[in-house]
């Protein structure tokens, strides 16, 4: 290409999914109808790749002969809006991550492919005249799922995704109903009304919270601190109702859009169903990794077009284009799941706050146990604090918390007699109990009683966990597993014993003690199959389980009206942790799981088995006093110089040879010290888990009392890191790290 030819073409700068902190120049023929934000296919090396046009440019530093042309423009979806491109630039700049990788990772996987995307038309299913007249008793009793579908459709038309929530076998059952002529499929009807099922009368505190946020003109960040069971979800519902309505003075002629972020996939189905019941004629879509690629892309496009008015999603949903965005809600804002731990290591909560400020709309962060960062911001006036101090359902009250001193009590398989007696009482009353043990598997380790051998992972600095049902030893860090040995690999002794408790062992012990009880174990192992957790949740709600044994999966966001007892087993390990956030996380976890008890008209009780019943954490838990506990932690953090009083960046490296990662970090530290900028640079130390998956891991911490000073340092230091030799290692820079 000559200079003369180049002048007849426009130049564009394209973001590509490559680990280079630059945009790439390409030439574009005027006939391509190229817009900023468009997806394009361009040559890169020997491949054709997809990119996003970020800007036009009048000139390039490259020689004209080296500038390649844009091959084609994908017109299957509209270009990304300028507002979203600005958000992506902010994330790239703040988290010091290549803009191309930020931009492409924000798209659904299906839109990262070079082939155009053709969305399928989602069908809506409704009862036919024959189906409406059908008596359900005429169906054979064994057709339970068909009866369930017909019952659901009597309340109104539903989409296929909603019907699949009823049962894993719903598609087959639906096919039979269509063939019988009782159900018919058609295109979804346009939503012409904004119906709102005002099912609950708000308490005075809830109404006050709704009014304060609804009156907000422009950006404002609100921290909604509500005790468990105080009705934060109901506040969200009424705020959605306010924002979805037309409001000319706020610039919402056709109503706004609401983005609700939740920490985990497990919370999305129940919330989705609940919001659909409250807004029956409002288009709602969910966005999370549990969706098929095509469905996720379709939901994303509905949000981008403004058709979807409520968008419910996990952390990646924060990058969804929303032309009529009028409110952002972040539920369980304290949850560590909002922080991405690889790739672009962003905090969805923090990005959501920036996005609300960028757009000039209110954002509400909700939690019963706010993060100390958010609580500190609320105390200092940066956020506005809204509080819900009473349970929403009367006469429900907070559960009574008892801390049992296990140094004074004999334990049977980790369970004390007072806890077992409390479970027995609930069984007699036909109420449900939850035993919380945040350790899956049968036992954390297998030990030889003769020589002291322990089942250690040969690939990690961790132990292999015993899973007795399939007689395997598994590493929960790298995934390695092996069969349980018949004898000790070291001394040959056959007396190998499990040490410690896991959920499987707890389930077995409870079944032995209460043989007639229906026990349900809920952890990552038992819910691995698709639809398993939805089926379990239905079992719990339908009263088909007496005792639940579970990990933190059961701790948040669930409402089980018949659950009146929570027993907490083995919580003390967090008190020994080197992680300065460990006690904050433990209090949040115990307050959340304890809050599952007594949420209806039956009194709740929480029994915590601990060797330290007089520890300030358990004293605050007994009195449900988050405020004083948070102040205690903030005082400690201030004295120690920890966040939120400092701002941190963590450089981590891992390599198959220990010396390689340490050499890289020492060089990085040398470059940092030479800059002589106002930041603290610590020494190179091993990671909390120094070896994982055959890689040796180390880290280097940098911090400053001023965020601006830290960012100025990182802007100079990061290009130096990019220039260091790194062929035999992986390294990452984590801004505002949560894990060390």
């Amino acid at each position: 290409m000559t200079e003369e030819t180049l002048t007849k073409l426009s130049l564009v700068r394209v973001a590509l999914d490559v680990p280079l902190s630059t945009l790439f120049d390409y030439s574009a023929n005027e006939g391509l109808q190229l817009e900023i934000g468009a997806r394009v296919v361009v040559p890169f090396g020997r491949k054709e790749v997809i990119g996003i046009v970020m800007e036009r440019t009048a000139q390039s530093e490259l020689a004209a002969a080296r500038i390649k042309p844009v091959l084609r423009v994908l017109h299957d979806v509209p270009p990304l809006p300028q507002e979203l491109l600005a958000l992506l630039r902010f994330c790239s700049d703040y988290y010091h991550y290549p803009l191309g990788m930020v931009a492409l990772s924000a798209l659904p996987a299906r839109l990262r492919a070079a082939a155009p995307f053709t969305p399928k038309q989602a069908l809506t299913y409704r009862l036919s005249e024959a189906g409406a007249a059908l008596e359900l008793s005429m169906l054979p009793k064994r057709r339970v799922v068909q009866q369930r579908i017909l019952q659901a459709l009597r309340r109104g038309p539903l989409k296929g995704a909603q019907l699949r929530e009823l049962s894993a076998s719903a598609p087959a059952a639906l096919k039979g109903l269509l063939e019988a002529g009782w159900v018919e499929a058609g295109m979804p009807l346009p939503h012409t009304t904004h119906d709102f099922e005002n099912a609950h009368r708000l308490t005075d505190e809830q109404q006050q919270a709704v009014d304060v946020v609804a009156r907000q003109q422009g950006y404002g960040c609100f921290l909604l601190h509500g005790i468990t069971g105080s009705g934060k979800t109901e506040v969200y519902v009424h705020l959605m109702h306010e924002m979805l309505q037309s409001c000319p003075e706020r610039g919402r002629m056709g109503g706004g859009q609401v983005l609700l972020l939740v920490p985990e996939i497990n919370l999305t189905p129940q919330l989705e169903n609940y919001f659909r019941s409250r807004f029956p004629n409002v288009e709602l879509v969910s966005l999370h990794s549990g969706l098929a690629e095509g469905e996720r892309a379709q939901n994303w496009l509905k949000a981008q077009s403004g058709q979807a008015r409520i968008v419910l999603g996990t952390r990646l949903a924060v990058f969804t284009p929303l032309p009529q965005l009028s409110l952002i809600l972040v539920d369980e804002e304290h949850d560590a799941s909002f922080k991405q731990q690889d790739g672009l290591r962003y905090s969805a909560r923090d990005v959501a706050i920036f996005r609300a400020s960028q757009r000039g709309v209110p954002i509400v962060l909700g939690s019963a146990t706010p993060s100390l960062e958010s609580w500190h911001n609320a105390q200092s006036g940066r956020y506005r604090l809204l509080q819900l101090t009473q349970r929403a359902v009367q006469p429900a009250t907070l559960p009574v918390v008892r801390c049992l001193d296990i140094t004074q009590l004999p334990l049977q398989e980790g369970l004390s007699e007072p806890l077992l007696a409390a479970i027995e009482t609930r069984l007699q009353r036909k109420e449900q109990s939850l035993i919380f043990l945040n350790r899956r598997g049968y036992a954390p380790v297998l030990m030889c009683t003769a020589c002291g051998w322990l089942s250690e992972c040969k690939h990690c600095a961790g132990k292999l966990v015993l899973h007795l049902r399939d007689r395997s030893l598994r590493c929960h860090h790298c995934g390695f597993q092996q069969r349980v040995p018949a004898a000790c690999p070291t001394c040959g002794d056959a007396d190998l014993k499990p040490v410690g408790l896991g959920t499987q062992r707890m389930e077995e012990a409870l079944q032995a003690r209460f043989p007639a009880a229906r026990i349900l174990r809920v952890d990552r192992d038992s819910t691995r199959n698709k639809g398993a957790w939805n089926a379990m949740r239905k079992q719990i709600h339908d009263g088909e389980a007496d005792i639940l044994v579970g990990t933190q999966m059961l701790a948040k966001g669930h409402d089980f009206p018949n659950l009146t007892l929570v027993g907490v087993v083995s919580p003390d390990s967090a008190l020994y942790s080197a992680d300065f956030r460990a006690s904050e996380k433990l209090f949040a976890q115990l307050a959340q799981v304890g809050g599952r008890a007594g949420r209806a008209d039956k009194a709740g009780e929480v029994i915590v088995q601990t060797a330290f019943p007089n520890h300030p954490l358990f004293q605050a838990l007994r009195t449900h006093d988050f405020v004083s506990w948070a102040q205690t932690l903030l005082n400690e953090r201030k004295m120690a110089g920890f966040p939120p009083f400092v701002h941190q960046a963590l450089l981590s490296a891992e390599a198959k040879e220990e010396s390689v990662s340490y050499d890289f970090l020492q060089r990085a530290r040398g470059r940092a010290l030479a800059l002589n900028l106002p930041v603290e640079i610590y020494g190179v130390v091993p990671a909390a888990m120094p070896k994982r998956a055959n890689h040796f891991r180390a880290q280097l911490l940098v911090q400053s009392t001023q965020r601006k000073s830290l960012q100025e340092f990182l802007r100079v230091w990061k290009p130096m890191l990019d220039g260091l030799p790194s062929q035999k290692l992986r390294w990452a820079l984590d801004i505002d790290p949560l894990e060390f």
Side-chain angles (χ1 to χ4, degrees):
M1 186 183 299
T2 65
E3 293 285 352
E4 184 179 351
T5 307
L6 193 59
T7 57
K8 298 177 182 178
L9 302 172
S10 62
L11 294 177
V12 291
R13 311 206 72 199
V14 178
L16 300 179
D17 191 9
V18 293
L20 297 171
S21 298
T22 185
L23 298 175
F24 297 87
D25 293 351
Y26 287 90
S27 63
N29 189 308
E30 292 296 338
L32 281 177
Q33 300 176 340
L34 205 52
E35 295 182 57
I36 304 299
R39 289 155 53 247
V40 292
V41 178
V42 295
F44 187 77
R46 296 180 180 179
K47 298 185 295 184
E48 292 183 5
V49 298
I50 193 164
I52 298 172
V53 177
M54 300 299 292
E55 57 192 56
R56 295 184 185 277
T57 183
Q59 55 189 16
S60 172
E61 294 179 2
L62 294 175
R66 295 185 60 196
I67 298 177
K68 297 179 180 180
V70 172
L71 299 177
R72 57 186 181 276
V73 182
L74 298 176
H75 295 292
D76 51 345
V77 304
L80 299 182
Q82 286 291 343
E83 181 183 307
L84 182 60
L85 297 179
L87 180 68
L88 298 173
R89 285 185 183 275
F90 161 77
C91 288
S92 173
D93 184 53
Y94 183 80
Y95 293 106
H96 299 272
Y97 199 70
L99 177 56
M101 297 181 77
V102 172
L104 272 297
S105 67
L107 293 176
R110 188 62 189 79
L111 298 183
R112 296 199 292 268
F117 174 64
T118 306
K120 293 180 181 177
Q121 278 291 354
L123 295 175
T124 295
Y125 298 90
R126 55 182 65 85
L127 291 180
S128 64
E129 284 187 24
L134 180 70
E135 292 288 338
L136 292 184
S137 57
M138 294 172 62
L139 281 175
K141 288 186 178 179
R142 68 179 182 277
R143 295 190 183 177
V144 177
V145 178
Q146 287 193 345
Q147 291 184 19
R148 202 179 294 167
I149 290 173
L150 292 171
Q151 195 72 46
L153 291 177
R154 286 188 171 177
R155 294 191 287 269
L158 293 172
K159 296 176 185 173
Q162 293 169 278
L163 292 176
R164 287 195 295 275
E165 288 292 335
L166 299 175
S167 171
S169 60
L174 178 62
K175 184 179 178 184
L177 293 171
L178 288 164
E179 289 172 353
W182 293 327
V183 172
E184 55 191 22
M187 301 304 294
L189 297 173
H191 296 307
T192 56
T193 60
H194 166 62
D195 289 343
F196 174 53
E197 295 293 329
N198 194 359
H200 300 283
R201 186 174 181 274
L202 295 181
T203 65
D204 291 343
E205 287 182 326
Q206 288 174 321
Q207 188 64 60
Q208 184 179 2
V210 170
D211 291 343
V212 167
V213 179
R215 284 197 299 265
Q216 176 69 27
Q217 296 290 327
Y219 167 73
C221 186
F222 300 87
L223 178 61
L224 180 62
H225 174 223
I227 63 169
T228 55
S230 59
K232 292 184 288 296
T233 304
E234 197 60 31
V235 171
Y236 301 157
V237 165
H238 281 259
L239 283 173
M240 286 178 175
H241 172 55
E242 292 285 340
M243 298 301 175
L244 291 173
Q245 297 178 89
S246 296
C247 186
E249 64 272 16
R250 292 175 66 93
R252 298 194 314 271
M253 299 305 296
Q257 287 177 293
V258 177
L259 172 64
L260 171 60
L261 298 177
V262 294
E264 297 202 5
I265 297 173
N266 290 330
L267 296 176
T268 50
Q270 67 189 75
L271 281 173
E272 186 176 346
N273 291 335
Y274 182 69
F275 289 130
R276 285 191 197 281
S277 71
R278 300 300 298 276
F279 299 101
N281 291 317
V282 172
E283 183 79 36
L284 181 153
V285 297
S286 59
L287 290 167
H288 54 78
S289 59
L291 299 175
E293 285 185 7
E295 186 178 3
R296 185 168 186 169
Q298 289 191 171
N299 289 352
W300 189 90
L301 289 171
K302 285 181 181 178
Q304 187 192 34
S305 69
Q307 180 184 344
R309 305 279 297 286
I310 299 173
V311 176
L312 171 63
T314 48
R315 58 177 176 255
L316 194 57
V318 75
F319 296 112
T320 308
L322 297 160
Q324 297 296 322
L325 180 64
S326 58
L327 173 69
I328 300 177
L329 303 166
V330 183
D331 193 28
E332 309 289 4
E333 67 86 26
H334 67 279
D335 200 293
S337 300
F338 282 123
K339 175 79 168 160
Q340 175 82 16
Q341 296 298 344
D342 54 23
L344 171 63
R345 300 179 183 225
Y346 68 100
S347 162
R349 177 198 64 199
D350 296 348
V351 173
I353 293 169
F354 176 84
R355 185 167 188 184
S357 173
Q358 173 196 38
R359 184 60 182 259
V361 299
I363 179 171
V364 178
L365 314 177
S367 177
T369 53
S371 65
L372 285 191
E373 286 80 2
S374 295
W375 186 253
H376 176 63
N377 284 331
Q379 296 301 306
S380 64
R382 189 175 177 192
Y383 301 167
R384 183 162 177 184
L385 181 63
L386 307 171
Q387 291 189 289
L388 305 177
T389 61
Q390 303 292 323
R391 286 201 152 175
V393 178
Q394 297 299 324
T397 56
L398 283 169
V400 174
V401 179
R402 293 166 55 199
C403 293
L404 302 181
D405 187 349
I406 56 173
T407 64
Q408 307 296 320
L409 291 169
L411 299 179
Q412 303 172 38
E413 292 288 347
L415 298 167
S416 65
E417 198 53 47
L419 178 53
L420 289 166
I423 296 171
E424 179 67 53
T425 301
R426 267 59 183 193
L427 289 171
Q428 291 171 2
R429 291 187 201 158
K430 300 194 181 307
E431 295 171 359
Q432 292 171 324
S433 305
L434 163 61
I435 304 304
F436 176 72
L437 174 62
N438 204 23
R439 190 178 289 134
R440 61 193 174 99
Y442 187 84
V445 67
L446 193 65
M447 185 180 82
C448 172
T449 56
C451 71
W453 169 86
L454 296 174
S455 56
E456 295 181 335
C457 178
K458 61 184 179 182
H459 307 293
C460 298
K463 304 291 188 290
L464 293 175
V465 177
L466 174 62
H467 287 253
L468 201 59
R469 298 226 170 142
D470 58 1
R471 295 203 57 78
S472 69
L473 293 168
R474 292 186 211 161
C475 178
H476 290 176
H477 300 286
C478 72
F480 171 75
Q481 71 177 61
Q482 65 182 51
R483 299 291 295 168
V484 173
C488 174
T490 302
C491 71
D493 194 284
D495 191 14
L496 300 177
K497 289 195 173 176
V499 178
L501 287 167
T503 49
Q504 292 177 9
R505 189 173 188 178
M506 182 62 65
E507 178 188 20
E508 184 182 272
L510 287 165
Q511 199 69 75
R513 177 64 184 255
F514 305 108
R518 296 166 297 177
I519 299 175
L520 190 64
R521 175 170 55 85
V522 182
D523 57 23
R524 200 183 303 171
D525 297 316
S526 66
T527 58
R528 185 167 287 136
N529 295 332
K530 189 173 182 180
W533 169 230
N534 286 338
M536 287 183 180
R537 196 173 66 244
K538 188 173 187 307
Q539 273 182 271
I540 299 167
H541 276 286
D542 292 349
E544 295 172 4
D546 302 313
I547 303 173
L548 315 179
V549 179
T551 57
Q552 61 183 351
M553 283 184 66
L554 281 173
K556 36 194 158 176
H558 306 297
D559 194 354
F560 304 132
N562 201 37
L563 181 65
T564 60
L565 173 69
V566 171
V568 178
V569 179
S570 302
D572 293 343
S573 59
L575 302 178
Y576 308 119
S577 174
D579 178 7
F580 69 87
R581 287 190 173 89
S583 58
E584 177 190 358
K585 294 174 186 173
L586 178 61
F587 184 90
Q589 200 172 67
L590 297 186
Q592 294 281 344
V593 74
R596 300 312 106 204
R599 292 170 73 93
D601 56 350
K602 299 171 184 174
E605 182 181 17
V606 179
I607 296 176
V608 182
Q609 294 187 164
T610 173
F612 308 100
N614 296 319
H615 190 284
L617 185 151
F618 295 118
Q619 290 180 347
L621 195 68
R622 272 198 294 266
T623 56
H624 304 284
D625 191 356
F626 169 81
V627 175
S628 65
W629 173 243
Q631 193 56 53
T632 298
L633 290 181
L634 282 173
N635 292 340
E636 291 177 359
R637 298 268 185 98
K638 191 170 187 178
M639 289 174 62
F642 287 144
F645 300 99
V646 298
H647 305 281
Q648 298 179 324
L650 186 73
L651 178 64
S652 57
E654 58 178 55
K656 291 193 173 182
E657 294 178 34
E658 192 171 12
S659 61
V660 172
S661 53
Y662 279 84
D663 287 348
F664 174 84
L665 292 175
Q666 290 292 3
R667 289 188 186 188
R669 185 171 185 270
R671 302 287 198 284
L673 290 169
L675 292 174
N676 199 26
L677 289 172
V679 295
E680 290 181 84
I681 301 160
Y682 289 84
V684 177
V685 296
M689 174 165 279
K691 184 184 178 187
R692 184 168 70 189
N694 288 324
H695 283 74
F696 293 93
R697 308 163 72 232
Q699 58 197 30
L700 167 64
L701 180 67
V702 180
Q703 68 181 34
S704 173
T705 55
Q706 299 295 322
R707 193 187 300 274
K708 184 179 179 183
S709 298
L710 179 62
Q711 283 291 330
E712 286 173 352
F713 163 79
L714 292 172
R715 285 191 189 98
V716 182
W717 191 45
K718 175 62 166 51
M720 293 180 173
L721 300 179
D722 291 333
L724 290 176
S726 58
Q727 290 86 354
K728 295 182 178 179
L729 60 84
R730 293 193 296 258
W731 63 270
L733 187 61
D734 190 356
I735 316 302
D736 305 327
L738 287 185
E739 295 184 1
F740 287 82

